[in-house]
Amino acid sequence: RRRVVDYAEGHDDLAGDRTSRLSPYLHFGCVSPVAAASAADGTGAGGEEFVRQLCWRDFYTQLLHAFPDLPRRPVRADARDDWRYDDEALSAWQAGLTGVPIVDAGMRQLTAEGFMHNRARLITAGYLLKRLGLDWRDGAAWYARWLLDADVANNNGNWQWVAGTGTNPRPHRGFNPIRQALRFDPAGDYVRRYVP
């Protein structure tokens, strides 16, 4: 409950790591999303933002039920499916050796902890898809290999959202990793934690 009170202001702060860290517990059913939402009730804007994130998890579960091919095929009929294949670029991204500090920090956090901050997930996914032009399925598979909270619906739904192949109403949206770093890790503390 304490972490939820300032969740709205702090959940994107990469260095502060002010996320709930409940995702593995939700994934394995140790904590009910309803119980988590109930505990957040009455905590103001932080609780509302936290519950909104829980709703995204539920949304992707329902999407997977309606679209069982979510891990394999684009949801959008008009989605691009002309991804590049470059083993060297993919390996560098996986190892956190792209040369883009915020991307490398996120990828190194993933393999070191089995966790990655949600904002870092968006940045690293955006880099793989929009900058390198590589297939979202390769990224989703890598996350699934390492994440403790690797939920099939949530992982693939979010990857398709970033790729513009899923439910994103703005499929050409991109995440500029430098602007994201300046906004969500302005002092570079998160980057230095994983990329000394």
Side-chain angles (χ1 to χ4, degrees):
R1 191 169 165 90
R2 179 178 49 83
R3 290 192 118 183
V4 170
V5 172
D6 67 346
Y7 188 82
E9 300 85 37
H11 78 282
D12 277 327
D13 176 5
L14 286 162
D17 192 20
R18 290 158 48 191
T19 65
S20 71
R21 291 278 184 147
L22 285 177
S23 55
Y25 303 97
L26 290 162
H27 170 65
F28 287 107
C30 302
V31 174
S32 155
V34 173
S38 294
D41 189 34
T43 57
E48 291 172 16
E49 179 61 27
F50 177 74
V51 170
R52 192 171 73 82
Q53 296 303 317
L54 289 172
C55 290
W56 274 112
R57 294 181 66 82
D58 185 62
F59 170 74
Y60 285 131
T61 299
Q62 292 182 45
L63 181 62
L64 178 63
H65 178 75
F67 191 76
D69 281 340
L70 182 69
R72 293 173 292 286
R73 287 187 328 140
V75 172
R76 296 171 63 104
D78 64 343
R80 73 174 280 196
D81 207 16
D82 60 344
W83 304 103
R84 265 179 2 105
Y85 292 92
D86 181 335
D87 290 338
E88 189 175 320
L90 179 63
S91 293
W93 176 82
Q94 290 170 334
L97 297 172
T98 67
V100 179
I102 194 77
V103 173
D104 293 345
M107 297 309 294
R108 292 179 193 187
Q109 179 184 23
L110 171 65
T111 56
E113 299 176 11
F115 175 83
M116 189 193 308
H117 191 288
N118 186 58
R119 176 58 52 182
R121 293 181 197 205
L122 293 171
I123 295 167
T124 58
Y127 184 81
L128 182 78
L129 302 167
K130 306 294 180 159
R131 302 288 174 182
L132 298 178
L134 302 183
D135 195 320
W136 64 269
R137 289 164 279 230
D138 291 332
W142 187 252
Y143 276 20
R145 175 179 175 184
W146 290 98
L147 285 173
L148 296 173
D149 65 357
D151 181 85
V152 172
N154 209 32
N155 187 37
N156 289 285
N158 277 309
W159 270 97
Q160 287 220 40
W161 186 87
V162 176
T165 60
T167 58
N168 190 338
R170 293 173 43 204
H172 304 293
R173 170 193 337 239
F175 290 90
N176 179 312
I178 305 306
R179 283 207 321 253
Q180 292 282 307
L182 291 171
R183 183 171 176 196
F184 299 111
D185 188 34
D189 295 332
Y190 174 79
V191 166
R192 279 191 298 278
R193 188 177 304 151
Y194 299 101
V195 184

